[in-house]
Amino acid sequence: MVSQHILSILQQVQDGAMDIHAAYEHLKISPFEDLGYAKIDHHRAIRQGTPEIVYGAGKTKEQIEGIVASLLSHSPFNILITRLSQESALYLEKRFSLTYDELSQVGIVNRKADLTASGTILVATGGTSDIPVAEEAALTAEVLGNKVERLYDVGVAGLHRLLSHVDKISGARAIVAVAGMEGALASVIGGLADCPVIAVPTSVGYGANFGGLSALLSMLNSCASGVCVVNIDNGFGAGYLASMINHIGGNQS
Amino acid sequence: MVSQHILSILQQVQDGAMDIHAAYEHLKISPFEDLGYAKIDHHRAIRQGTPEIVYGAGKTKEQIEGIVASLLSHSPFNILITRLSQESALYLEKRFSLTYDELSQVGIVNRKADLTASGTILVATGGTSDIPVAEEAALTAEVLGNKVERLYDVGVAGLHRLLSHVDKISGARAIVAVAGMEGALASVIGGLADCPVIAVPTSVGYGANFGGLSALLSMLNSCASGVCVVNIDNGFGAGYLASMINHIGGNQS
Amino acid sequence: MVSQHILSILQQVQDGAMDIHAAYEHLKISPFEDLGYAKIDHHRAIRQGTPEIVYGAGKTKEQIEGIVASLLSHSPFNILITRLSQESALYLEKRFSLTYDELSQVGIVNRKADLTASGTILVATGGTSDIPVAEEAALTAEVLGNKVERLYDVGVAGLHRLLSHVDKISGARAIVAVAGMEGALASVIGGLADCPVIAVPTSVGYGANFGGLSALLSMLNSCASGVCVVNIDNGFGAGYLASMINHIGGNQS
Amino acid sequence: MVSQHILSILQQVQDGAMDIHAAYEHLKISPFEDLGYAKIDHHRAIRQGTPEIVYGAGKTKEQIEGIVASLLSHSPFNILITRLSQESALYLEKRFSLTYDELSQVGIVNRKADLTASGTILVATGGTSDIPVAEEAALTAEVLGNKVERLYDVGVAGLHRLLSHVDKISGARAIVAVAGMEGALASVIGGLADCPVIAVPTSVGYGANFGGLSALLSMLNSCASGVCVVNIDNGFGAGYLASMINHIGGNQS
Amino acid sequence: MVSQHILSILQQVQDGAMDIHAAYEHLKISPFEDLGYAKIDHHRAIRQGTPEIVYGAGKTKEQIEGIVASLLSHSPFNILITRLSQESALYLEKRFSLTYDELSQVGIVNRKADLTASGTILVATGGTSDIPVAEEAALTAEVLGNKVERLYDVGVAGLHRLLSHVDKISGARAIVAVAGMEGALASVIGGLADCPVIAVPTSVGYGANFGGLSALLSMLNSCASGVCVVNIDNGFGAGYLASMINHIGGNQS
Amino acid sequence: MVSQHILSILQQVQDGAMDIHAAYEHLKISPFEDLGYAKIDHHRAIRQGTPEIVYGAGKTKEQIEGIVASLLSHSPFNILITRLSQESALYLEKRFSLTYDELSQVGIVNRKADLTASGTILVATGGTSDIPVAEEAALTAEVLGNKVERLYDVGVAGLHRLLSHVDKISGARAIVAVAGMEGALASVIGGLADCPVIAVPTSVGYGANFGGLSALLSMLNSCASGVCVVNIDNGFGAGYLASMINHIGGNQS
Amino acid sequence: MVSQHILSILQQVQDGAMDIHAAYEHLKISPFEDLGYAKIDHHRAIRQGTPEIVYGAGKTKEQIEGIVASLLSHSPFNILITRLSQESALYLEKRFSLTYDELSQVGIVNRKADLTASGTILVATGGTSDIPVAEEAALTAEVLGNKVERLYDVGVAGLHRLLSHVDKISGARAIVAVAGMEGALASVIGGLADCPVIAVPTSVGYGANFGGLSALLSMLNSCASGVCVVNIDNGFGAGYLASMINHIGGNQS
Amino acid sequence: MVSQHILSILQQVQDGAMDIHAAYEHLKISPFEDLGYAKIDHHRAIRQGTPEIVYGAGKTKEQIEGIVASLLSHSPFNILITRLSQESALYLEKRFSLTYDELSQVGIVNRKADLTASGTILVATGGTSDIPVAEEAALTAEVLGNKVERLYDVGVAGLHRLLSHVDKISGARAIVAVAGMEGALASVIGGLADCPVIAVPTSVGYGANFGGLSALLSMLNSCASGVCVVNIDNGFGAGYLASMINHIGGNQS
C-alpha cells in the first residue's frame, strides 16, 4: 500500500500532473490530522477497514471528545474507546452515540455488530475477578467483527470445570486466556488447544503476585506450545490480536 | 477429538465389545509411552499431523536418544530437537539421520521440506547477534511446513534498512520480530504490519539489559496493536505459533 | 473417587440403565452450578466433608450473595468468606446468618464449632501488627474443625517471650508462624519444633520490606528443616493447610 | 523435652548430686560437639529418632569428613548428605560406607531402608529436567523411613499424562510437586488432591524464568488450597517436610 | 572560578588586607544563606548567569515561600519551581508574580523570555499522555533562554507521523525524547538525528510498565548512538541538560 | 546478666529456698506482661537503664494506650513512641503527658532531657525533604540522653555547603547521614569523618528511586570505610544505634 | 539530507531522466550493503563525516572481518571496533592495520589522531577498576577527533583527590564520569561542573551492587542538574555523546 | 585537621614565608601520590594512625605491587589487602613480607598484632559456609588492633548453640553477625546484645537467596534495635566499623 502510494505520486510527476515540490509535500505530509495534543491517522480505518481505537487513559475528557469528533468526520466505522473512566463516559454520552460497559471501562461509538470473520474466539478466565479484563478483550473482538464465546471462572484448581468445556476449546480459532494469581490457565488451555492461545496476565491477586508479575512470568514460561503473552491487564491487545488471527481464517460469507 | 474417543469406548461397552473394567483402563491409560524419565505422546503427531518436538536442554544424550527412538517407532513425521548441544548432536548423528544447525542448536531427524501452508512467515532481527534465536524460529517454521523469509540486521537505529523492505512486511501472513537491547523492532514492525507480530526478546546486550529483561518489558509494553510476546530467546515458541497462524490462512494446494 | 464415578457410569451403560449419549453427558457435565460469573462446585463439600470457602476480594457484594445462596441450597456445612469488606459484610448480614471478624475480614455463615481433629494448631505472630493475618489463619482452622492456640507478639528480638512458651511449641501438631519485617520467627520456631511449620510472611513493615518481600525471602531461605511457606498475608492458606495436616493425625473421637 | 532437661538438672542440684556451678555449666553447655568450623548436635538424632543431615554445599571435603566421623561416633542412624559434589563423594567413599546418587548429588552413609510411616509420599515432576531435584526429595523421604512413589514428566501441557494417574494422587498422604518453567503442576495437583502438596520450584528453564523465580511466584500464588512452597531446587526440604507430615498419620506397624 | 576565589583571598592576606582568621572564615563560610530547613546558594545565579531552580516536591508552601523570598532578595533572574502543587501555587500567587502551568506543575516567578542561545531544542513525545513531562522540559528550556519546538504524539506505532517531521529532527541542536510504554521513540529519533538525544522515560503505561521501568530500560539499552537518559518523568533534568548543550553551540547574538 | 539470673535461681534451689518446680517456673516465666495483643518487657528498661520504645504503626490507639499504661506502671523512664499518627497522638494527649512532633510523628511521654553520654551525635540531611526522617533520628537520640547537632540540606550537588561544616563532622562521635535520591551524602561524609557513619536512605525522590531503593543500594555500596546502613526511612534505628555508640565513649560526668 | 535525496530523484523523474519504476527502486533501495548477517550503511560516514563503528560482541571474527572489509572499500575514515575479544583482534591484525587496546577491548583500524573539535573532554573514574570502561570512552572520543584528559581514581571517599583537580573540571566542555559501587562521583562532579556530565555506571563492585544496578540507580537519581546516564559499562556510548557535544562547541581550526 | 592545614598555610602567607601562588599550589595539591592508575593517600595512615587498606579485586597483581611499594615507602603501618587472589598473593609473597589467608583472601604485609583498643569484638556466623566472610572481618579487626573472639556455626535453627554462648554476647563491645540464607542470626543476636551489632549478609545459599538478597533484606528489616547492615559479603567493612566502635570505648593501656 505504501509502495502504491509512492508509485501513484511518481506517476503524476511523470505525467506533469504534479510538480516536484507538490510531490515532495505529498510524500512528506503524513495522512493524519494534527490536533496538537494528538495526531490522528484518518487513513488507517480506510486502509485496514477496521474501527478506530482510542486509548482513554491519561487523556482528558475534552481531548477524547476532540479525537472522537475528528474521527467521526472522516470514517464510517465504529470507534472503540478503552480505559474510559465513568466520568468521561458520562461527558461523551451527551455528545455522541456511546455504548459504555462499566465493568471493563470500554466505550463504543456507533456500535454495530456485523460479523466479518467466520471463526469463533473463545475468551476464558481463571476466576470471577478476571472478568473485567476478559470483557475488554471480548468487546474489542466483537467490535472488530468476531463471534465471541465466553467461558469464565474455569481456573485450574477445579480442573473439571475446564475439562467439561473441552469442546469449546477445540472449536475455537483463537483463544484468549485471562488469569491472575499463578496464571496456570494459559498452560493448561495451551496443552488442550490446537489453535493460538493469547495469554493475558491480570493484576488480580495479592502479596507475591506483585501486581501481576507472577502470572506474567508464569505465562511467558509456559511449557505449552502455541502460547503468546500480552501486557498485564491488556484485554484490548489480546482481543485485537485474536481478531487479526481469526480474520486470517477467512471472512464471514 | 477427546469426546469422540470417549464416545467410541462407551459404544463398545454398550455393544458388549468391551467390559467396564477394560473400558476404564482405556479411559485411564493415556496414549503415551512411559520411558520412566519421559512420557512420550505418540498420538499428538497423528492427531495434529505435525512433527514431534523434543526440548534438548537438561536432558542427557542418552535420554534424547531414547526419546527419538521411541518417536521414530510410531511416527512418520520429522522430529525437531531444540537446544541440542553440539556434543549430543555428534552422538545422535551416529544413530539417526540428523541435520544439525550449530548456530541455533537445532537438530532435525528425517528432514523433509514439504510446504503445508500457503502464506509466508517473515523472520526479522534487530542485529547480527540475534540471528541464532531467529534461526531457531525460522528452522522451526520450515520444519512445520511454512515458507520463511529472513530479514536480518534491520534494527531501528538505521530505520532506512527496515523501511526499504516494507514490501516484505506487508506481504507476510505472520511476522517473528527478534531483538535484544531495547527491543524497539517489534513496535516499529507492529506499526507497519497488518498481520500478527510475534515478538521474541533476546538476551543480547549487556548492563541494564539484565539478561533480556529490557527487550522483554519493551515488547510487552508495545504501543502497536497486534503484537504478542514469547519468552526471552524462545525462537522455537515464536516459530511454532507463527506456523499455527499461517496454517489458519489455508493449506498449500 | 473420580475413578469410582467413571466406573459407576460405565456400569450403568453396561447394564443398559443409561445410553451412551446420556453417559457422555454425565461424564462431560461437571458437578458445578454455573452462575455465569462463577462456577460453583457443589460436590466438593460433600466429597470432602469440609466447609465451602469463598474468596471475597474482587467480587461485588451481589456476586458474593449469589454464591452463598447457591452454596446454602446444596450444602449443610459452614461457609467461610475471606477478604470480606465491611461494606459487603453489612450487606450479607441482612440476608444470612453471618458472623464477621472486622480485624481479619473473615465472615462465616452458619458458624458451628465442632472439633473434627484431635491435635492442636498453634498460631504465633512476631508482632501485634501481624494479628489480622494470624486471625485469618486461626478462624479458618477453627471453622475447619481444629483446636487452635494463639501465641501473639513473640518476635525474635525478645527471645525470652518465645522461649517461655516452648511447651506450646512442642505440644502442637502443626504451627502457623506469622511474621513481617525480617520474618525470623519461622526459622526460630522451626528450630524448636518437631512438627510442620507453615510460615506466613506479612506485608507488615516499611522501606526495604517491599510489601512483604523481605519476610517472604527470609522464610523461603529458612535454615530450619520442616518449614514451608505460603503467599504474603495468606492466613487462610496457612490455616487450611494446617487443618489438612492436623486431620492426618486422626479425627476427634 | 527441653523443660525435662532443665527439671532433671535442677533435681540433681536439689538432691545435692550436682553443685550450682556444675549445674550452670550443664545448663550452659549445649548438647553439641564443637569442631570449630561446625557445632554438631548429637542429641537431635536421639531426641527425634531421625537420621542426621549434613548440607554439603560450601563445605570442604575434609570438613564433611570431620562432621560425618563425629556423627558416626554418637549415632546409630543413617547420615544424609545433600549437595555433595562428586569430588567429595569420591573422597568420602574411601572412608565411610557411602551410597551416592550422582544425579541428585545425595550421599547416604549406612543406608538402611526401614519403613517407619504407613502412608505413601508421591513425588511428581513437570519434566525430565526436574528429576534431579525430585530425586533429592525422594531419597530424603526414603532415608527418613517413607514409602515413595515417583511420577515424572507429567507437566500440564500434556494434561492426560497427569490425569491418567489420578489414582496415585488420591492415594498419597503427602505430595511433592516439582516443576520449573511456569510451575503450574503444583496448582493442578493441588486442585486434584485431598492431601498437603509441597511445591518445589526448580531453576529449570531460561529467559524470563530468572533462575526459578517464575515457578516460585507461580506456586506462591497458587489458586489451589493446601499448597505450600519451599525454596527453589530445595528437594531436601520438601522430602523432609513430606516425611514429617506422613509420620503424623501413624507409624508403620 | 573557585581557584580565583581562593587566590583573591590569599592576595588580601598577603597584602595584609585580611588577617588569617578572617581569611579562614571566608574560605570556610560558604556563599549560601541558611534558612535552617534549606541552605540557599546565592552565588550560583550570579556565577552561572542562570535562573534559580526550586524543587517543589516534599516542601511545604511556607518553605517554598521562604526560599523564593530569599532568592528574590539576591538575584534579578527568573525562579523556576518544579513539581509545584496547585495548592502551593495558589498560595504563592498571592505573594509573588507567579506564572503557573497546571499540566506540568511548573511555576515561574518573574517570567522573562529572553533568548540566550542560538539553536533550537526539539521536545517530542510518543503519546498524548506524555505531554505533562514534555512541558516540564520545554518550559524549563524556555526559561533558561532557549527556543523550543514541540512535536507531540509521534510514537513509533505510527511511524509516518514521525517521519513527516524529519526536518525538525535534523534542524535541532538537541532533542528531548519523552516516551512511556516501550520507550522506542528515543531509539528511532536517535537513529535519525545527528545531535544529542536526551531520553526521558515516563511512567505512562500500566502492567509490565512497572512505573516507567520498561521505558527506562529500553532507553538505557538504545541501539542508537548519541542517546543518554535521565530519571523517569524528569522533564526538568532533560530541559536543563538540553539547554546546557544548546548554549555550547553559541549564544544568541 | 542472663547467666547471673540462672545462677541466682540455682543458688536458691541449692539453699532450699526454692523447690525445683518453682525454680522451673521462674526459669520459664519470662519477665514480661501479657496484654494478649502485646507482650511487654518490663525488665528491659531496668536492665538497660534506657527509655521504653513503642512502634506505633499498625497498632490501634487503644492498643498504644494499653501498652503505655502498662509501661508507666513499672518504669520511671521516658517512653518514646515512633510512627505515631496525629489521630492517635490527640487521643493519647488526653491521657498522658505527651510531647508530639508532627513532622517526624514522634511522641514522647514524660519527656526529660538528661544528658547521659559525653559526645555529640551529628544528624545531617541531603535535602529539605529528608528532615522528617532526620528528626526521628535526632529526637530518638535526644530522648536516649545524647547531645545532637543538626546539619540539614547539605547534599553533594552543592558540595561547599557540606565542606563549610567540616568541623562539625570531625567533632562528632557518631554521625547519622540521612539522604534520598542517590544517597551520595553517606559516602562523602564517610570519606571526611573519622567516626562511625550510620546511613539512612529515605524514600524521598521519584521514578527510578523506587521507594528508596536507589539510596539504599548506593549506601550499601559506599566506597567509604566506616559506613553502615539501616532500613529506608528508619530514623529511629539510626538514632538508637548512634546513641549506643556514643555511650560506649563514656557517660556524661 | 533525506528530503534532498527525495527531491533529487523527483527532479530526475520530472526531467525524464528516470522513469517512475527506476525512481521507485531508488526510493526503495536503501543506501547500505547487505552481507546477509549484516546490513552496512556506507552513507553514514560520508553523511556525518565520522568514523565507522562496529560493535564486536556477539559477532564471529569472520563476520567482523567481512564488515571491516566492506567498510574499507567505501570509506576513508577510521573504523572503531568495541568489545573486540583478544582472539578476534589477533585474527584481524593479520588482515588489517589494527591498533588494539587489551584493557578496554577497543580496536581501531587505520588509526589517525586529527583533532576536529576545539574543546576538551574530561574522563574521570571513581576507582582503578573502572579504568577499562573509561578507556573505552576515552579512545572513542579520541578517534572521533577530540582532545581527552584522563582523571582516574578520584572517588568521593577521598574527596581531596577530586577537589585538587577542580580546574580540570571547570576547563572541560563535556565530562564523562565513570564509577561503580555507589556511583556518587557523578553527583559530586555534577555539582562542581558547569558543563554536561555523562555518567557511566560500571559493574565494578559486589553483593548489593547487583551487576551495576546500584551505580545506575544512583546516577539516575542524581540531585545535580546537568547529569545524564548511559547503560552500565557503556564507555563507548558516553565517549560518542561527549564527542557530539564537544563538536557543537565549534570545530578545531 | 583540614582547617589546621589551611590555617598553617595562611600563616605562612601572612608571614611572607610563602607567596600566594605557592600557597595556592599547596592548597590545591592533594596529599597523595599519583600512580596514574591509582592516587595513593599517604597522609591517611599518619593522620589516623591506622594501617593502609588495599581493595584487591579488579586490580592486576602489578598494580597491587605498585600500590604496596608506594605505601611502604611512606608508612610504618601494616597494609591490609582484601579480595586478594591466590595468584596475586603468590606474586606478592616474592616481593614483600606477606601473610595470606586463603579462605578469606586476606593478605597482610608487615603483620603486627599490637592491641590498641581495650574491648572485645565478637564475630559470629550462622553456618560453616559463612566462615570466609567472617574471617575477613576478624582479620581486619585484628590488624586494626582489636581483640577478636570467634563464634562460628551458631545459626538460629539450633538455638541452643547460640544460647550457650550468651556470655560471649554480653561481654562484647561490638558484634559482627555474619549469615546467609535467611539471615535471622542478626535479629536474634540483636535481641540478646546490649552493644552495636553489625550485620553482614552473605551470598551463601541458593534459589530464592538471589545472591544474598534474602539475608540482606532480612537484616535491613530486623526488628531488633541496635542493628546496622553492610554490603553482602563485606566482611572487611564490618571489621573496620567494629574496630572504629571498639576504639571509641577507649584505647588499650
Side-chain angles (χ1 to χ4, degrees), chain B residues 165-245:
Chain B
H165 292 289
V166 154
D167 50 340
K168 288 185 182 169
I169 291 173
S170 54
R173 202 182 271 161
I175 300 177
V176 176
V178 183
M181 301 173 99
E182 91 277 62
L185 184 69
S187 289
V188 172
I189 289 184
L192 295 170
D194 292 334
C195 71
V197 174
I198 305 161
V200 190
T202 71
S203 53
V204 168
Y206 60 91
N209 169 284
F210 295 124
L213 182 64
S214 61
L216 172 63
L217 292 184
S218 177
M219 288 167 168
L220 284 168
N221 285 281
S222 175
C223 54
S225 301
V227 176
C228 67
V229 187
V230 296
N231 196 0
I232 297 166
D233 292 336
N234 188 5
F236 161 73
Y240 188 96
L241 180 59
S243 172
M244 257 190 178
I245 293 171

Side-chain angles (χ1 to χ4, degrees), chain A residues 196-216:
Chain A
V197 174
I198 305 161
V200 191
T202 71
S203 53
V204 168
Y206 60 90
N209 170 283
F210 295 124
L213 182 64
S214 61
L216 172 63

Side-chain angles (χ1 to χ4, degrees), chain G residues 141-165:
Chain G
E142 286 176 347
V143 167
L144 292 168
N146 301 277
K147 185 175 161 208
V148 173
E149 187 144 22
R150 286 154 172 88
L151 184 57
Y152 291 165
D153 193 27
V154 291
V156 301
L159 208 55
H160 56 294
R161 296 180 303 183
L162 180 64
L163 293 180
S164 69
H165 292 288

Side-chain angles (χ1 to χ4, degrees), chain B residues 110-130:
Chain B
N110 289 344
R111 176 156 200 166
K112 294 182 302 185
D114 294 348
L115 279 189
T116 55
S118 55
T120 300
I121 292 171
L122 179 67
V123 178
T125 76
T128 300
S129 314
D130 301 313

Side-chain angles (χ1 to χ4, degrees), chain A residues 86-143:
Chain A
Q86 193 168 19
E87 186 202 342
S88 292
L90 289 172
Y91 177 86
L92 294 176
E93 273 173 357
K94 296 177 188 149
R95 285 152 183 82
F96 307 109
S97 162
L98 180 86
T99 310
Y100 183 63
D101 180 63
E102 212 176 305
L103 193 64
S104 60
Q105 296 202 292
V106 167
I108 303 171
V109 177
N110 289 345
R111 175 157 200 164
K112 294 181 301 183
D114 293 348
L115 280 188
T116 55
S118 55
T120 299
I121 293 171
L122 178 67
V123 178
T125 75
T128 301
S129 313
D130 302 313
I131 294 181
V133 175
E135 278 299 306
E136 192 185 83
L139 290 171
T140 296
E142 286 176 346
V143 167

Side-chain angles (χ1 to χ4, degrees), chain F residues 156-159 163 181-182 184 187-188 191-192 206 208-210 213-214 217-224, chain G residues 156-159 163 181-182 184 187-188 191-192 206 208-210 213-214 217-224:
Chain F
V156 300
L159 208 55
L163 293 180
M181 301 173 100
E182 91 277 63
S187 287
V188 172
L192 295 170
Y206 60 90
N209 170 283
F210 295 124
L213 182 64
S214 60
L217 293 183
S218 177
M219 288 166 167
L220 283 168
N221 284 281
S222 175
C223 53
Chain G
V156 301
L159 208 55
L163 293 180
M181 301 174 99
E182 89 278 62
S187 288
V188 172
L192 294 170
Y206 61 90
N209 169 284
F210 296 123
L213 182 64
S214 61
L217 292 184
S218 177
M219 288 167 167
L220 283 168
N221 285 282
S222 175
C223 54

